Amino acid sequence: MNRILFADRDERFYTKLNFALHEAGFSTEFSSDGEDAFGRMMVDRTRFDVLVIDSNLPSMNGIELLKRVRTARLHVPILMLNEMDDAMERILSLELGADDCVTKPVHVRELVLRIQALSQCRNRVNPPFAVQSGELRLGNMRLRVEERECFIDRYEIGLTPVQVQVLKALFQKPGSVVLREALMHAAWGKIVHHHLLAMQISLLRQKFDTVTTRSHEIETVHHRGYRLAKITPSDEKSMV
């Protein structure tokens, strides 16, 4: 049974959500404090399958909790709950490693579906009782799916669970177009708004851009999808 840690100061909302999550086959734990939530994560780094964080937690706000979880290399999928429709806060959350963002108030059913999608993403990376080995290679880039790591030469790039699935789908078809819908299904298990996929692609590009010796880059194929394309000598000159 998948276990969810729900970090939110609104216990009444959690009570409603908890019933729906149990009906969907999840077990849950509740924390109304950021420090407490982080402590629970650190006690057992693989205990939770999804972490839901409210942005306005006491003692440690949601953004700080998100930063500390990712700094500690805890690779659990994270869904951020924002108190207002603030585009900058959503962008910051995604840049810091959140896999999805939702603005309150949100319908319980929608939230359950989003949590299910993130849980499926984690299980595709780490199937229960399955042992994965090896890595995907492309030029001087290596993707370790199980460890959720990408290396360009000797430089390591940390990835969120969603970014792992997006990159894995691109690695498996080098040079070929991977349709947006296929990437969405790989990462979230369903069709999501195209802006959410575009944001994850943008974040991956930002990470790749920190290493100028990379052999491939993510190209946009307009109205279709994306592909991992080999960088040509002319491209390399333009990057200098």
Side-chain angles (χ1 to χ4, degrees):
M1 179 179 287
N2 289 328
R3 182 177 293 273
I4 312 301
L5 176 58
F6 196 83
D8 195 323
R9 57 198 173 93
D10 187 351
E11 191 165 358
R12 286 189 301 175
F13 179 67
Y14 164 73
T15 301
K16 292 193 297 183
L17 179 65
N18 183 47
F19 178 79
L21 285 170
H22 276 274
E23 287 288 305
F26 293 95
S27 64
T28 64
E29 290 188 24
F30 176 75
S31 175
S32 60
D33 179 274
E35 290 282 1
D36 174 72
F38 184 69
R40 295 191 197 197
M41 296 290 298
M42 293 302 294
V43 167
D44 184 346
R45 298 171 67 92
T46 62
R47 180 178 182 179
F48 298 104
D49 297 284
V50 177
L51 173 59
V52 180
I53 304 176
D54 178 63
S55 61
N56 288 326
L57 285 170
S59 83
M60 182 197 304
N61 67 41
I63 294 294
E64 182 61 28
L65 176 57
L66 169 62
K67 288 169 61 177
R68 288 183 63 177
V69 168
R70 289 304 185 222
T71 299
R73 298 178 66 80
L74 297 170
H75 297 298
V76 60
I78 295 175
L79 186 150
M80 287 293 295
L81 294 173
N82 303 115
E83 293 292 331
M84 63 184 82
D85 191 11
D86 186 339
M88 294 307 298
E89 185 174 88
R90 292 198 304 273
I91 291 171
L92 177 61
S93 297
L94 291 167
E95 287 179 338
L96 291 174
D99 297 288
D100 197 0
C101 295
V102 179
T103 300
K104 286 184 173 181
V106 57
H107 195 282
V108 167
R109 181 57 180 161
E110 178 186 350
L111 197 53
V112 170
L113 290 172
R114 288 177 180 269
I115 290 171
Q116 285 179 325
L118 290 179
S119 174
Q120 291 166 5
C121 171
R122 179 180 176 88
N123 288 336
R124 284 194 294 274
V125 175
N126 257 341
F129 313 113
V131 178
Q132 298 182 351
S133 61
E135 60 188 18
L136 298 173
R137 290 175 176 264
L138 186 60
N140 65 346
M141 301 169 63
R142 295 176 290 135
L143 177 64
R144 295 178 177 177
V145 176
E146 185 179 5
E147 293 83 0
R148 305 176 183 90
E149 296 171 343
C150 181
F151 288 86
I152 302 177
D153 288 333
R154 66 181 184 278
Y155 299 101
E156 179 182 349
I157 296 174
L159 302 171
T160 69
V162 163
Q163 290 167 1
V164 167
Q165 293 302 319
V166 170
L167 202 51
K168 177 184 175 183
L170 292 170
F171 259 76
Q172 290 175 331
K173 297 183 67 176
S176 300
V177 179
V178 182
L179 298 179
R180 289 186 300 188
E181 294 79 6
L183 291 171
M184 292 173 186
H185 277 290
W188 291 279
K190 62 178 183 178
I191 299 297
V192 299
H193 197 287
H194 65 89
H195 285 315
L196 187 55
L197 174 61
M199 175 59 73
Q200 294 298 333
I201 293 291
S202 176
L203 294 172
L204 282 169
R205 284 171 171 157
Q206 289 176 29
K207 293 178 179 184
F208 283 2
D209 285 347
T210 62
V211 185
T212 58
T213 59
R214 65 191 184 280
S215 60
H216 291 72
E217 61 184 357
I218 301 174
E219 286 187 351
T220 299
V221 181
H222 291 292
H223 307 300
R224 295 188 63 196
Y226 302 89
R227 65 183 169 203
L228 266 180
K230 185 175 178 60
I231 296 176
T232 64
S234 59
D235 293 329
E236 292 173 354
K237 290 179 182 178
S238 66
M239 291 192 300
V240 176

